Amino acid sequence: MKLVLFDLDKTLLDINFDEFLKSYFTLLIPKLAKIIKDKDPLKILKISVDYMINEKNGELNVDKFYKKFIELSQVEQKILKETFLDFYLKEFPKLKIFGKPRDGGREVVLKLMEKNFKVIIATNSIFPEIAIMERIKWANLIDINFPLITTMENMHYAKPNIEYYIEILEKLNADSKDAIMIGDDFEMDIIPAQKIGIKTIHFGVEVKDIREILNLITNN
C-alpha cells in the first residue's frame, strides 16, 4: 500500500457538520440575495451544486458550478466570483467555532509520511480551494505539504461518484490495489472507493481512534 486517502470533515477535522452547514448558509445566503433579484438564492445554490456533482461532461467542477449558477441567477460571472471570494475571505473563517483538530490526526499523517506513504486529502471537491484550505487550517494540517488536496478547481468529479476516486488514482499514477480510503461517510467514502478496488477503513465504525489507523496500515 502506497497511497492513503483521508476524508477531511468528521475524519481529520472534528466538526459538527450539521451546525457548520446551517451557519454556512446563514452567512452566505444574505450575500447572494444582494446580487440575485427576484429569485431564491438557496434554491439556485443547491441546483448548481447538484449539477456540479451529477454532470459528467469533462469540465472542472468549478466551471460546471458557475455555468449553472449564472444560467439560473443571470448574475455576471465577475460579480458572482467577487461575491463568493468576499464571503470566503471575510465570513467563512467565522465557522471555525464548529471545527477542531482530530485527536491524533496530525500525528498519524506525519508518521505515515515518514514511512513514505503518499497522504492525500480526499475531501469532497464541491468547495473551492480557499474554503478547503481554511478547514485544513482548523484541523492543524495547513503546514503539511500534501501531494494532492481535492478541490472544485482541480477535480472534474465529486463524491459519491466512483470517477472521483478514479481521477485521484490517475493524477497520482497509482493503482487501486495500492490505495486505502479512510472516511466517516459510508455512502461518500466507503462504497464508491470499494467499487473500484480501493481498500477502506470506515472511521467511527471500524475504528474509533484515528491513531489505530497507523498500525492497521503499516502492518498490511
Side-chain angles (χ1 to χ4, degrees):
M1 200 174 300
K2 302 169 187 172
L3 189 63
V4 183
L5 282 58
F6 272 106
D7 176 52
L8 181 59
D9 299 308
K10 298 173 73 176
T11 304
L12 285 175
L13 177 63
D14 186 356
I15 188 169
N16 184 330
F17 203 69
D18 290 339
E19 289 300 316
F20 161 81
L21 268 188
K22 191 168 140 188
S23 293
Y24 171 82
F25 290 128
T26 299
L27 292 173
L28 175 60
I29 296 307
K31 281 192 169 289
L32 294 177
K34 287 179 182 177
I35 60 169
I36 299 171
K37 305 304 178 188
D38 305 319
K39 291 173 183 169
D40 183 349
L42 180 58
K43 184 178 179 182
I44 291 172
L45 180 65
K46 287 182 174 178
I47 291 172
S48 301
V49 170
D50 285 344
Y51 178 81
M52 170 175 57
I53 292 169
N54 295 311
E55 181 59 43
K56 301 175 184 179
N57 60 8
E59 293 178 345
L60 285 166
N61 288 344
V62 64
D63 295 330
K64 288 185 282 186
F65 174 81
Y66 278 112
K67 179 167 76 175
K68 181 55 70 174
F69 203 106
I70 290 164
E71 174 195 317
L72 296 173
S73 68
Q74 295 300 300
V75 175
E76 288 179 31
Q77 180 169 301
K78 182 174 182 291
I79 293 170
L80 194 56
K81 288 193 171 183
E82 285 174 354
T83 301
F84 273 108
L85 180 60
D86 184 70
F87 165 75
Y88 282 115
L89 284 173
K90 296 176 182 175
E91 304 297 330
F92 192 79
K94 296 174 183 176
L95 301 175
K96 182 183 179 180
I97 58 170
F98 299 110
K100 63 181 180 179
R102 173 70 62 194
D103 288 343
R106 179 183 175 86
E107 170 195 343
V108 168
V109 167
L110 291 174
K111 284 188 176 175
L112 286 170
M113 287 181 162
E114 283 172 15
K115 294 176 182 293
N116 296 317
F117 287 92
K118 281 185 180 177
V119 179
I120 307 306
I121 299 294
T123 185
N124 206 359
S125 49
I126 60 172
F127 280 98
E129 180 181 5
I130 187 171
I132 291 171
M133 296 310 291
E134 178 67 25
R135 299 206 310 282
I136 287 173
K137 190 191 297 181
W138 302 347
N140 192 27
L141 302 168
I142 194 68
D143 59 320
I144 297 174
N145 186 24
F146 294 99
L148 176 65
I149 298 167
T150 58
T151 70
M152 68 192 297
E153 291 94 344
N154 66 14
M155 294 292 289
H156 299 80
Y157 304 98
K159 298 176 185 179
N161 296 305
I162 61 169
E163 290 88 352
Y164 168 84
Y165 293 94
I166 292 169
E167 185 171 10
I168 290 175
L169 295 176
E170 289 174 348
K171 281 179 180 292
L172 295 157
N173 194 27
D175 193 283
S176 60
K177 71 180 189 312
D178 294 322
I180 187 163
M181 174 68 196
I182 299 148
D184 69 287
D185 193 306
F186 192 63
E187 301 292 331
M188 296 283 187
D189 303 320
I190 306 304
I191 291 176
Q194 287 180 349
K195 279 182 179 175
I196 63 164
I198 295 175
K199 297 179 187 72
T200 61
I201 296 176
H202 192 181
F203 180 68
V205 177
E206 296 174 282
V207 166
K208 302 285 188 183
D209 187 328
I210 208 160
R211 284 165 284 225
E212 297 172 43
I213 285 166
L214 196 61
N215 287 333
L216 288 173
I217 293 175
T218 54
N219 291 337
N220 283 316

